[in-house]
Amino acid sequence: MKSDRIDHIGIAVKSIEERLSVYRDLLKLEVTGIEELQDRGLKVAFVKVGDTRIELLESISENSQISRFLESRGEGIHHIAFHVDNVKAAIEEAVSLGLKPLSTEPEAGAGGTKVVFLHPKSTGGVLTELVEGHH
């Protein structure tokens, strides 16, 4: 497995609409999509920056991962995501290297992608996402 780029940087926010004042209004970046992921209790917005994206993550459920993150740490960088060609193979390789995927099978991500997260305790404190499917 080889990653060829950062797919996105996830940022936990209390309000996507409020934070778009920075990315859309000040920096004049294009918002390429806003989507609700009901099963994960999230609303996400993607902002294009060159060949990568910023993903704004807003909680729409009291017990989502983002609501817990915001309660304990406040707004800020939540994860970094790398594009991979095959997330299933990436999970197997991660395990062989002693890393700890949060799931053994790819999960559905925003925009029809397949994703897996690697536990930050196995990646030096950085929640790392591997993404298959976005170009």
Side-chain angles (χ1 to χ4, degrees), residues 37-43 58-61 64-66:
L37 305 173
Q38 292 288 342
D39 58 328
R40 293 173 58 194
L42 294 177
K43 180 178 179 181
E58 175 184 328
S59 178
I60 57 172
S61 167
S64 73
Q65 289 178 328
I66 295 303

Side-chain angles (χ1 to χ4, degrees), residues 54-95:
I54 299 291
E55 178 186 36
L56 302 177
L57 302 140
E58 175 184 328
S59 178
I60 57 172
S61 167
E62 288 183 19
N63 60 353
S64 73
Q65 289 178 328
I66 295 303
S67 65
R68 291 191 296 274
F69 182 90
L70 288 168
E71 284 173 19
S72 64
R73 299 187 186 178
E75 292 183 298
I77 294 177
H78 180 261
H79 66 272
I80 187 165
F82 295 90
H83 175 264
V84 297
D85 288 332
N86 183 324
V87 74
K88 178 74 173 157
I91 291 170
E92 293 170 7
E93 190 167 344
V95 169

Side-chain angles (χ1 to χ4, degrees), residues 13-21 34-35 43-45 56-58:
V13 299
K14 292 179 182 169
S15 166
I16 285 173
E17 194 54 44
E18 187 177 317
R19 291 297 163 236
L20 283 177
S21 66
I34 297 178
E35 181 179 345
K43 180 178 179 181
V44 299
L56 302 177
L57 302 140
E58 175 184 328

Side-chain angles (χ1 to χ4, degrees), residues 15-34 43 45-49 54 56:
S15 166
I16 285 173
E17 194 54 44
E18 187 177 317
R19 291 297 163 236
L20 283 177
S21 66
V22 174
Y23 302 98
R24 178 190 61 207
D25 303 338
L26 174 67
L27 298 173
K28 309 295 189 250
L29 298 171
E30 176 188 0
V31 178
T32 59
I34 297 178
K43 180 178 179 181
F46 284 99
V47 181
K48 186 170 173 47
V49 187
I54 299 291
L56 302 177

